[in-house]
Amino acid sequence: MADSSDRGDKPVARLLFKPRQKAKPVEPANEATEDTAPQSEQPSPEKPPLDQLRAFLANQNHMFTCGGSIPIVERPEPTKPQRAPTRDRLSNRLTTDEPRTSDPITIRWDVADMKGGTGQRGNPCDKITLPLAPGSENDIQRLLDGTQPATFGRGREDVYDETYRKALKMDTTTFCSTFDPYSLGIVDTIAQVLLPSIVDSSTHRSVRAELYKLNLYTSPSGKFKKHVDTPRSPSQFGSLVVCLPLEHEGGQLKVRHEGREITYDWGTSSTKPDFATIRWAAFYSDCEHEILEVTSGHRLTLTYNLYAMRGTGRLTGVSQTLDIAHLPLYQAVSNTLSKDPFDGKGGTLGFWCSHAYAFNDPIETPLPDTLKGVDAVIWEVFQKLNLNPTISAVIELEDEWHWLENWADLEPYKSDVEAHKLWELAVPTKQVAGKEFGVFIEQYYQELPESLRLNEIFTSWGRYLDEKTQWLTTPAPKSELQIAYAAYGNQASAETIYSHCAILVDFPAKGGA
Ligand SMILES: O=C(O)CCC(=O)C(=O)O
Ligand SMILES: [Fe+2]
C-alpha cells in the first residue's frame, strides 16, 4: 500500500555519470560538436512545432478517477417477477426503462469464537443486511467482532501502525457479500472511463474486478493516510472502493494526480432521504489517495482490485467508440510531425508517461494493455500514424550521482590512452531506455573497473538515448527501481514495483542527412 520510494537507491547510487560540460577531454573534430552541442540550449528552427505540441500536452486533462451512486431499493414482494424487459427498437437489445437500483446488500462472515454465542443460532457464520433495519443499529457490533486490524505495506513488510492507517478489515477468505459490481453496471462504467475501447485499436481491453477486502473505518480517528495501492500483478491498473450505507461523518476519500484532486465525501445519516445508497469510486491505483479521519460512526467499504484483460471480459455492452483520428491530440501530433522536428537528421521523440506501471513478471507483459489516461491516447495516436512506438522503462541518471566527475579522477590509470578509453566508456548520456519491462538483476563483480561493469549492465538492459532525444513531457518526480545489481553476490529480491516509463518513437535520418 504505502509507496516504496526508498527501494533501489543503493544498487544504482554509484552510477557513472559524465557531466556534459566536462565531456570532452579529447578534442574531437569541430563538426561533431556542432551537430549535438547547440541542440539542448539554443532555440533552433525546428523547436516551435514541438513546443506547441508540448504546450498542448500540458493542457490535456484526462480522467484519473470516476465514481457514482446507486440507490438501494427494497422490493416489496421478492417473489413478484420483475417488470418485463422490453426490446430497445434501435439497438435490439434487452433493456429495462427503470433506473439502475440495487437490492439491499447482505454480508456474511465466519464467526471465529462460538463460545460467546456471537453466531446466529449456533451457526458458524453471521450476517447483516444493509441498510440496517431501524432499531438494529447495534448489530454493527457483531460485524466489528469479526474484523481484524488492517495492516499496510511499508517497504517490504506488512505493518500495523495506527498513526498511518487505523482501520479494521476482513479478508475474502472470511466473508462474502451479495454486492455485484458487474450487474450494477459499475465495471462497464469504469471500463468506458478509465480503459476506453478505441476503434481499430489492436488493444481490445476490458476490466476484471476482484474483491480484495472489507474495510471498516470507525470513529474516533479511523483513517488511511496518503498512499498508492500496491499492484497485485502487472495487469492491475486500478482500484474500486464501494461504500455501503452506514451512518458516519468524515472519512472523505481524496484522490490525486498531477496536482489535481477529487474528493468523495460519502458521510451520511439515516435521516437523509438518500441514505439507502451505494456509493463508489474507482481510480488508477498509482494515483495518491487518502482517507481523512472518520469523526463519527462507521465507514464500511468493499475494495476491489481492477485488472485489464484482453477481449470483452464480462462486460455487458462493449462498444469501441473512441476514434483516435477525431481527437484534437491526434491532429496536434500529426501536424507537428508533418514538419519533421528532426529536420531529416533523425532522432528519438519521447513521451514520459503520466502514470506509473507495475511490473514484476518476466513473462506477463501488461503493456500497452494497461496504459492509462493520456498515456493510452498518445500510444494510440502514434499507432494510428504508423510510427511504431515502443514503451520502455527509462532510467534518468541524476547529476549528483556522478562518480567520474573530474578528469583528475582518472589519475590512477597509468596511460593517457587507458584513461581516455575509460572516460569514453563512462555513461555517455543521462538516459537509458530498457529493452523490456521487468526488474533486471545483475550480480556485481569487482574484477572490472566500475565504469566498464556498469556500462555493460546498462547496455545489456537497454540502450542509451542520445542527446538528440526530444521529450514532449517532463518525467514524473518519483521514479522507482529499474535495475538492481547485487554486490558480493547478494541477490536483491524483485517484487511488484512501479516503474515510470516512456513511449518512444525513433525517426530514422532521411537519406544522405
Ligand atoms: O476504503 C477505502 O476507502 C479505500 C481504502 C484504501 O485506500 C485501500 O485499502 O488501499
Ligand atoms: Fe488504497
Side-chain angles (χ1 to χ4, degrees):
M1 298 274 150
D3 84 34
S4 42
S5 49
D6 56 335
R7 268 192 302 226
D9 290 357
K10 295 276 170 346
V12 286
R14 294 188 64 226
L15 299 175
L16 291 173
F17 170 54
K18 185 169 62 167
R20 289 178 52 198
Q21 64 273 26
K22 294 167 187 161
K24 297 190 296 289
V26 183
E27 277 315 316
N30 279 344
E31 57 212 1
T33 22
E34 291 297 319
D35 254 6
T36 51
Q39 216 144 6
S40 55
E41 307 298 324
Q42 294 168 14
S44 54
E46 62 265 29
K47 267 204 163 178
L50 274 183
D51 279 347
Q52 280 167 23
L53 185 53
R54 288 183 182 113
F56 194 92
L57 279 164
N59 286 323
Q60 290 284 302
N61 263 348
H62 282 260
M63 304 279 272
F64 56 95
T65 174
C66 61
S69 58
I70 297 166
I72 297 179
V73 176
E74 195 151 2
R75 291 191 219 162
E77 291 169 53
T79 49
K80 192 175 141 198
Q82 261 193 304
R83 184 173 176 159
T86 54
R87 233 164 235 286
D88 178 324
R89 268 200 260 145
L90 285 178
S91 66
N92 202 30
R93 281 173 33 206
L94 284 176
T95 173
T96 61
D97 50 11
E98 290 169 287
R100 197 119 40 174
T101 59
S102 168
D103 289 332
I105 304 297
T106 297
I107 296 169
R108 283 189 175 75
W109 67 95
D110 294 342
V111 176
D113 178 11
M114 294 302 301
K115 282 185 232 124
T118 45
Q120 286 191 329
R121 293 189 295 279
N123 286 334
C125 67
D126 202 347
K127 69 166 185 175
I128 56 167
T129 297
L130 300 169
L132 294 168
S136 61
E137 289 79 9
N138 290 338
D139 287 7
I140 200 66
Q141 189 55 48
R142 301 200 326 268
L143 182 69
L144 286 168
D145 291 344
T147 59
Q148 293 167 330
T151 56
F152 61 95
R154 181 182 284 155
R156 292 176 188 195
E157 282 175 83
D158 258 351
V159 296
Y160 182 74
D161 174 357
E162 282 198 0
T163 63
Y164 204 87
R165 183 182 197 190
K166 186 170 171 238
L168 299 163
K169 60 133 192 197
M170 282 185 191
D171 294 324
T172 47
T173 47
T174 63
F175 87 97
C176 59
S177 94
T178 55
F179 176 78
D180 176 19
Y182 288 90
S183 58
L184 294 175
I186 293 174
V187 177
D188 268 357
T189 306
I190 294 169
Q192 278 156 27
V193 177
L194 298 183
L195 283 190
S197 296
I198 292 158
V199 178
D200 293 338
S201 169
S202 57
T203 314
H204 301 292
R205 33 192 213 161
S206 62
V207 175
R208 183 169 72 85
E210 185 182 87
L211 183 59
Y212 179 56
K213 294 273 189 254
L214 176 150
N215 299 310
L216 259 166
Y217 295 83
T218 69
S219 67
S221 68
K223 63 172 170 293
F224 196 171
K225 287 191 181 164
K226 60 185 182 185
H227 66 283
V228 295
D229 287 346
T230 310
R232 305 285 137 194
S233 95
S235 59
Q236 186 182 344
F237 71 93
S239 304
L240 163 64
V241 183
V242 176
C243 187
L244 300 177
L246 272 185
E247 285 200 344
H248 72 276
E249 281 169 29
Q252 293 88 344
L253 168 66
K254 289 182 173 277
V255 187
R256 306 185 181 102
H257 180 59
E258 295 194 327
R260 290 189 290 155
E261 177 180 278
I262 304 284
T263 302
Y264 296 96
D265 187 350
W266 296 325
T268 185
S269 118
S270 58
T271 55
K272 291 196 175 162
D274 64 349
F275 175 65
T277 302
I278 294 164
R279 296 172 172 91
W280 64 271
F283 45 88
Y284 294 132
S285 36
D286 65 300
C287 293
E288 179 186 285
H289 54 283
E290 70 178 306
I291 299 161
L292 304 190
E293 287 197 8
V294 175
T295 51
S296 77
H298 306 280
R299 178 183 182 277
L300 171 58
T301 57
L302 303 177
T303 50
Y304 290 76
N305 294 329
L306 300 172
Y307 300 95
M309 293 172 67
R310 285 260 162 148
T312 53
R314 289 175 57 193
L315 292 181
T316 50
V318 174
S319 61
Q320 291 166 12
T321 45
L322 194 59
D323 189 343
I324 287 294
H326 293 143
L327 289 185
L329 183 56
Y330 175 88
Q331 309 294 344
V333 173
S334 97
N335 284 345
T336 303
L337 297 187
S338 66
K339 293 173 195 132
D340 188 358
F342 296 100
D343 207 19
K345 293 182 186 135
T348 304
L349 191 63
F351 172 89
W352 289 103
C353 288
S354 137
H355 287 277
Y357 296 93
F359 62 86
N360 73 333
D361 189 328
I363 296 161
E364 191 181 355
T365 44
L367 294 167
D369 301 37
T370 53
L371 281 175
K372 305 165 193 167
V374 66
D375 307 344
V377 176
I378 201 90
W379 170 264
E380 295 291 343
V381 166
F382 287 157
Q383 287 275 17
K384 186 90 181 168
L385 291 167
N386 293 319
L387 294 174
N388 211 8
T390 55
I391 310 175
S392 300
V394 176
I395 299 176
E396 210 181 33
L397 309 180
E398 289 175 16
D399 291 6
E400 61 266 27
W401 287 357
H402 64 249
W403 170 70
L404 201 56
E405 190 171 1
N406 294 304
W407 185 238
D409 290 344
L410 291 170
E411 199 66 45
Y413 295 91
K414 296 289 174 277
S415 73
D416 250 19
V417 172
E418 195 184 0
H420 279 159
K421 199 171 151 214
L422 200 54
W423 185 264
E424 289 306 310
L425 280 166
V427 175
T429 66
K430 279 182 81 161
Q431 288 155 347
V432 194
K435 286 180 204 146
E436 54 194 47
F437 274 86
V439 179
F440 182 86
I441 302 196
E442 261 284 352
Q443 298 296 319
Y444 173 56
Y445 301 108
Q446 289 218 302
E447 294 95 63
L448 289 171
E450 193 169 18
S451 61
L452 298 178
R453 186 68 194 141
L454 284 173
N455 252 321
E456 210 176 276
I457 292 174
F458 286 153
T459 45
S460 60
W461 177 75
R463 63 174 172 130
Y464 291 110
L465 290 177
D466 71 22
E467 289 169 10
K468 282 191 288 178
T469 303
Q470 291 281 1
W471 288 97
L472 293 174
T473 48
T474 47
K478 185 174 66 129
S479 76
E480 302 278 347
L481 177 68
Q482 312 290 344
I483 294 183
Y485 67 91
Y488 314 115
N490 292 331
Q491 183 86 7
S493 67
E495 292 172 0
T496 303
I497 49 171
Y498 286 122
S499 160
H500 286 286
C501 69
I503 298 176
L504 302 173
V505 175
D506 286 324
F507 290 84
K510 292 198 177 128

